[in-house]
Amino acid sequence: MLNRADLQQMLGNVRLGERVAGGSFSPLDGLAEPLRLYSGLINAIRRHGGWVLRDHRVGRIQHQGGMFTAHGQWGSLSAPRLVIAAGLGTPDLASQVGISVKVRPQRGQMMVTERVEQSFPYPISGLLRQNPEGTIMIGVSTEEVGYDDRTTVSVLKSLAMKAAERLPALRSVQINRCWAALRPRTEDGYPVYQESREYPGAFVITCHSGITLAALHKRLLPKWILGGRKDALLEPFGLGRLQNASAA
């Protein structure tokens, strides 16, 4: 935990707002630049012989002879293992392989500025971060508004005011883009990693913390899905916790 003087020293010439009392810092924290991350994931999938099929909506899942077949208007694909990671579309598909999971939409809004010179080397309070190309991302909000994914002036204004309150220099920076999106949120807000008891080989994966949980997703999750033993670190994220109030 840092007091204001320590925080100001870390940020160098970046002037803090008058109401900033201090902050926290961990050398283990990191920052992922979205465009580079997505590019890396897609390239890795293709390098390992995978396909990325866009706009291929799955309407029905069938299990027969140890194979899962996903059907859509585009045709069908079959495999011995199936991973359902469909965001807000997860409940419907999961029910077809015997898994009952509830996922609700939660709206978040963000804005991104024009490119500016390097202003600060660290994310600020989860609200601000500067991407390598110089743009600054501001956000994000947490709103329970159903499936409404529109931006609103009131929320964007609030985000901009909070940003300027922390770093007054942002008052003169141009906002270039704003957007809203819907997070898939479970009943308790934590991830779900669950294999079907009725149809072994079918898995449901749903979370919003893909970056935070990257270590689990890279190492432990693939081993389990590909036929290995479920690591103890994954056990707390099964659906059992939502069926047992004391465990939750």
Side-chain angles (χ1 to χ4, degrees), residues 62-69:
Q62 184 180 23
H63 182 259
Q64 188 174 11
M67 296 291 286
F68 295 94
T69 302

Side-chain angles (χ1 to χ4, degrees), residues 134-164:
T135 59
I136 296 175
M137 298 182 71
I138 303 173
V140 61
S141 64
T142 300
E143 308 162 66
E144 303 294 339
V145 293
Y147 286 87
D148 184 353
D149 63 355
R150 294 172 297 181
T151 57
T152 61
V153 173
S154 59
V155 170
L156 293 174
K157 177 182 177 181
S158 175
L159 291 174
M161 290 178 66
K162 290 177 182 178

